[in-house]
Amino acid sequence: MTTSRRARRTLAVTAVALAGGAVGIGGVSLALWGDSERVTGAVADGYELFAVGAPGATTPAPAGTATFVVGPEAAAALARDGEVAVPIQVDSVSQGNKGLHYVLTPPQDWGGNLLGAADVAVFRVDTAAACSTDALAPGDTHPAGPWDSTPVPATYSTTTTPVTEYWCVYAAYDGPPVTGEYENTATVTATSPDGRQVTDEDSWNAVLVAGLDPAAEPDHEITLTYTTFRPGEEP
């Protein structure tokens, strides 16, 4: 889908949310962008590799589990643009006759801040470019799982070239949630010059919305855990 075909919405974001948006993101449309990764270590034996991170910046996870973090930076882009797309790259190698299977686990709850108020989807994409706000739009339908993959089959291999796959975290947001309504009526009574009592009243109301601050967005961890298997043990 091209940008010209997209139906973008004008957002009414609270002053608090707009102030929080000034955490260091410029005014350009977000395309390929990653929040952060927390993975450490290096593969010791060279027979298998599982690495996760932003496109072009993966880090090995030899302990079997990698954690990709989506947090305040994504929330700031979401408040500013009304949508955000965060691509995740996964690299896999398994030599010999061992296959490799992994499971991606998104957060069960995106909390009570901006990402919690947004429509969030996690799904596989063919390329990093397919996870961008230029390629995706609010209202698109995305797969709802399963979040797992078997990139390497249990066939003999000596390759050191990773099998690369991509996942996407996409969120769309159309303003803070309504928390209530307020209404008030004021009445004024006065005496006219001819001695008559004059009364007038006026009413006003307002919708109360949550004050959501991107800088207060917690870190949301997406975990990716891999296992290897031999022929006949396919997951």
Side-chain angles (χ1 to χ4, degrees):
M1 177 178 297
T2 63
T3 303
S4 62
R5 292 173 58 191
R6 298 167 49 79
R8 295 185 178 273
R9 290 171 285 184
T10 302
L11 305 176
V13 182
T14 61
V16 172
L18 288 175
V23 295
I25 297 181
V28 297
S29 176
L30 188 71
L32 297 183
W33 176 86
D35 216 18
S36 61
E37 314 86 47
R38 286 206 294 262
V39 288
T40 58
V43 174
D45 56 20
Y47 291 105
E48 60 194 51
L49 166 72
F50 186 71
V52 176
T58 60
T59 304
T65 298
T67 302
F68 189 92
V69 178
V70 178
E73 195 172 354
L78 187 61
R80 185 193 67 233
D81 299 332
E83 57 181 335
V84 65
V86 184
I88 305 171
Q89 179 175 325
V90 180
D91 295 329
S92 304
V93 174
S94 185
Q95 295 180 338
N97 63 346
K98 292 195 301 182
L100 187 148
H101 176 82
Y102 69 89
V103 176
L104 181 148
T105 305
Q108 291 186 346
D109 183 357
W110 289 92
N113 210 337
L114 276 101
L115 283 164
D119 294 325
V120 184
V122 181
F123 48 94
R124 278 273 302 275
V125 288
D126 293 333
T127 65
C131 180
S132 74
T133 56
D134 290 332
L136 303 169
D140 287 349
T141 300
H142 307 292
W147 296 288
D148 68 334
S149 178
T150 305
V152 183
T155 54
Y156 186 79
S157 173
T158 60
T159 184
T160 58
T161 302
V163 176
T164 297
E165 296 182 334
Y166 298 96
W167 294 78
C168 186
V169 182
Y170 177 76
Y173 170 79
D174 59 2
V178 174
T179 60
E181 296 183 0
Y182 175 80
E183 183 173 352
N184 196 10
T185 300
T187 302
V188 177
T189 301
T191 302
S192 66
D194 59 3
R196 291 183 299 110
Q197 247 191 358
V198 179
T199 301
D200 192 17
E201 71 176 32
D202 191 17
S203 298
W204 68 93
N205 57 71
V207 174
L208 304 180
V209 298
L212 305 181
D213 182 2
E217 187 74 33
D219 286 343
H220 304 283
E221 294 186 349
I222 297 172
T223 60
L224 299 95
T225 302
Y226 85 95
T227 55
T228 57
F229 61 92
R230 296 191 179 277
E233 300 174 347
E234 282 79 358

